[in-house]
């Protein structure tokens, strides 16, 4: 039996669940919610991929890794937000799965609640993982799990729109040159840029590249740099370079606007690559520029493979074998291609770019990316994020100036 010790969860862990799981979009799935192993030779794995059926390559990989480790796999797939709640409840009841694959911002929540083991305890090797990606799974100086892959944000652009507007994409290196390109697109009778500024974590997720690209820090929402980032967005709306619909846009509806063929740019992620190929026009991808040049740090999406705390600590050795198999060089390449993820190691990233040169700008964007809970923010991030998206909404709607909206946000955080 997979018996774990019951544990009391912190109030903070329970309070942040609805906030930190807002950016992942998966179809709803159902499954057996029991984490109890069917027998001594059975290990349980929970994942956030209900879109992958039992006969999928993903499910087959889990079974193959189980076979190599000499055990049977009992897999349960949940929607992302449901998975986090189930993981916390299972830990409280003493029914944690052996392996838990979870959205990276949730790792610190589960870690601080005492749900997860550290890599020192479970002996996972993370030496090949890019440090900026691994940071999303760090809390209190310890590392919990390893990333299975990453996605992030960049700027898709319509080559035909830019050509008609007389814009050379190579000239776009900072905010000033990007804004100039938007002005030219608008003057040519097209539209500038679309993005998501909806009042949820999705809005914060999309604002963060501009926020971090200004040099701002999440511990000071009201800094001059942060104000400059929000002013950039509000100015775009006032000048007609971005539509008013961004206030309610999700990343999906924002993409639909770009797919109309009228926009020069759209801020979106690697998960739209398949749709980009179907858009019917030639597109390119550009890392989001920082205010004075270079690539801005965009937030990382993607999941971590973790090992929850078990009462029977002898199970960790086999669980570690399972995770090592799932995140091996060979399996990462196949899995991350399926998930439209950039791999977390340079070795597999190189392999991905060799196979598909269109992934090069995404690898560059992921290399500059940053975890939302990095800088040891942990469970502080959800509250900061909520105040951030509220400030963005207030400023874009015109109810407050960027400076006043962010000052109010910082006060609320404190």
């Amino acid at each position: 039996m997979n018996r774990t010790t019951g544990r009391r969860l912190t109030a903070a862990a329970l309070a942040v669940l609805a906030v930190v799981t807002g950016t992942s979009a998966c179809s709803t799935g159902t499954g057996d919610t029991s984490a109890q192993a069917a027998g001594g030779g059975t290990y349980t794995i929970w994942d956030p991929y209900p879109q992958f059926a039992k006969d999928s390559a993903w499910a087959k990989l889990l079974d193959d890794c189980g076979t190599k480790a000499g055990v049977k796999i009992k897999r349960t797939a949940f929607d992302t937000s449901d998975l986090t709640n189930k993981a916390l409840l299972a830990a409280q009841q003493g029914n944690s799965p052996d392996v838990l694959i979870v959205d990276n911002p949730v790792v610190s929540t589960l870690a601080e609640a005492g749900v997860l083991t550290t890599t020192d305890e479970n002996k996972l090797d993370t030496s090949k993982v890019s440090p900026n990606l691994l940071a999303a799974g760090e809390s209190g100086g310890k590392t919990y799990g390893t990333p299975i892959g990453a996605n992030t944000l960049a700027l898709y652009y319509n080559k035909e729109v830019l050509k008609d507007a007389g814009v050379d994409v190579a000239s776009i290196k900072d905010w000033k040159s990007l804004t100039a390109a938007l002005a030219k697109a608008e003057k040519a009778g097209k539209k500038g840029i679309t993005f998501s500024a909806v009042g949820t974590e999705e809005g914060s997720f999309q604002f963060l590249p501009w926020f971090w690209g200004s040099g701002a820090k999440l511990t000071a929402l009201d800094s001059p740099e942060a104000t400059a980032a929000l002013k950039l967005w509000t100015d775009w709306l006032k000048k007609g370079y971005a539509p008013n619909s961004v206030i309610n846009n999700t990343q999906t509806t924002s993409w639909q606007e770009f797919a109309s063929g009228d926009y020069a740019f759209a801020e979106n992620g690697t998960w739209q690559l398949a749709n980009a190929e179907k858009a019917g026009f030639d597109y390119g991808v550009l890392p989001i520029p920082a205010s004075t040049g270079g690539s801005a740090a965009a937030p990382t999406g993607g999941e971590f493979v973790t090992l929850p705390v078990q009462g029977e600590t002898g199970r960790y050795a086999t669980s570690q074998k399972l995770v090592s198999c799932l995140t091996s060089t060979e399996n990462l390449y196949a899995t991350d291609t399926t998930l439209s993820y950039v791999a977390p190691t340079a070795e597999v990233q190189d392999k991905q770019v060799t196979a598909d040169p269109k992934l090069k700008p995404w690898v560059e964007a992921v290399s500059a990316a940053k975890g939302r809970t990095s800088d040891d923010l942990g469970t502080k991030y959800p509250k900061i994020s909520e105040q951030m998206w509220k400030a963005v909404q207030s400023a874009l709607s015109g109810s407050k100036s960027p400076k006043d909206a962010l000052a109010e946000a910082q006060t609320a955080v404190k």
Side-chain angles (χ1 to χ4, degrees):
M1 297 291 288
N2 177 12
R3 292 173 294 194
T4 65
T5 55
R7 37 206 333 107
R8 182 173 298 171
L9 304 183
T10 64
L14 296 171
V16 301
L17 293 180
V19 180
V20 298
T21 57
T23 61
S24 294
C26 295
S27 58
T28 301
T30 59
D32 179 7
T33 59
S34 173
Q36 293 288 66
T42 299
Y43 277 64
T44 53
I45 296 179
W46 287 4
D47 69 49
Y49 311 128
Q51 68 271 35
F52 296 132
K54 292 181 179 179
D55 60 350
S56 65
W58 169 249
K60 184 176 184 298
L61 172 61
L62 296 181
D63 288 338
D64 287 348
C65 285
T67 298
K68 290 178 181 179
V71 297
K72 292 182 179 180
I73 297 300
K74 183 179 181 182
R75 175 211 176 202
T76 306
F78 297 95
D79 176 76
T80 297
S81 57
D82 194 31
L83 173 60
T84 308
N85 284 289
K86 287 291 195 301
L88 284 164
L89 182 62
Q92 194 173 41
Q93 296 177 338
N95 293 325
S96 289
D98 291 289
V99 176
L100 175 65
I101 304 172
V102 67
D103 196 18
N104 76 71
V106 180
V107 174
S108 59
T109 298
L110 298 178
E112 291 183 32
V115 175
L116 305 177
T117 59
T118 69
T119 52
D120 286 339
E121 293 170 326
N122 57 45
K123 309 305 179 185
L124 283 178
D125 180 9
T126 60
S127 60
K128 294 183 178 180
V129 178
S130 299
N132 67 314
L133 300 182
L134 191 62
E138 295 174 345
S139 179
K142 297 179 180 179
T143 303
Y144 298 84
T146 187
I148 198 168
N151 55 32
T152 193
L153 297 166
L155 294 179
Y156 287 87
Y157 60 89
N158 186 318
K159 292 184 178 181
E160 184 176 348
V161 170
L162 292 189
K163 181 180 179 181
D164 291 346
V167 174
D168 179 4
V169 73
S171 69
I172 301 172
K173 300 180 181 298
D174 51 25
W175 289 0
K176 183 178 179 180
S177 54
L178 174 59
T179 300
L182 300 182
K184 288 183 177 181
E186 194 270 340
K187 187 176 181 179
K190 294 295 183 178
K191 299 176 181 178
I193 186 169
T194 180
F195 49 87
S196 169
V198 67
T200 67
E201 171 64 17
E202 229 169 321
S204 291
F205 189 73
Q206 289 241 321
F207 182 59
L208 276 172
W210 312 97
F211 181 88
W212 282 330
S214 72
K217 296 182 179 180
L218 286 172
T219 50
L221 294 178
D222 58 349
S223 69
E225 293 82 4
T227 301
L230 188 48
K231 187 176 185 299
L232 179 73
W233 273 19
T234 56
D235 285 350
W236 284 350
L237 262 67
K238 289 176 183 177
K239 294 176 181 178
Y241 300 162
N244 289 327
S245 59
V246 299
I247 297 175
N248 297 313
N249 269 350
T250 63
Q251 293 178 111
T252 298
T253 55
S254 171
W255 178 262
Q256 291 168 349
E257 289 179 336
F258 180 67
S260 70
D262 293 330
Y263 284 85
F265 297 94
E267 180 184 356
N268 227 297
T270 50
W271 51 89
Q272 298 292 2
L273 281 170
N275 288 328
E277 295 294 334
K278 302 174 185 176
F281 54 81
D282 200 7
Y283 75 94
V285 178
L286 180 72
I288 296 172
S291 59
T292 58
S295 297
T300 56
E303 289 79 41
F304 263 63
V305 190
T306 67
L307 274 64
V309 172
Q310 305 291 332
E312 296 179 5
T313 57
R315 298 182 70 86
Y316 295 149
T318 298
S319 296
Q320 188 267 353
K321 290 180 181 178
L322 294 173
V323 176
S324 295
C325 175
L326 291 175
T327 58
S328 67
T329 297
E330 178 183 0
N331 289 332
L332 274 178
Y333 177 75
T335 298
D336 289 338
T337 299
T338 298
L339 297 173
S340 291
Y341 279 167
V342 171
T345 67
E347 182 180 6
V348 183
Q349 289 173 2
D350 291 344
K351 189 175 181 180
Q352 287 180 305
V353 172
T354 298
D356 184 0
K358 287 185 178 180
L359 288 177
K360 185 177 180 180
W362 289 109
V363 170
E364 292 175 358
V366 164
S367 296
K370 185 175 182 178
R372 284 162 277 173
T373 58
S374 296
D375 299 329
D376 212 24
L377 287 177
T379 53
K380 297 176 185 177
Y381 171 74
K383 185 175 183 180
I384 294 171
S385 175
E386 182 177 8
Q387 296 307 319
M388 176 185 286
W389 82 57
K390 286 181 177 179
V392 169
Q393 288 267 300
S394 294
L396 294 185
S397 67
S399 64
K400 290 185 178 68
S401 69
K403 182 177 180 180
D404 290 344
L406 289 168
E408 184 175 300
Q410 182 62 25
T411 299
V413 169
K414 288 183 178 180

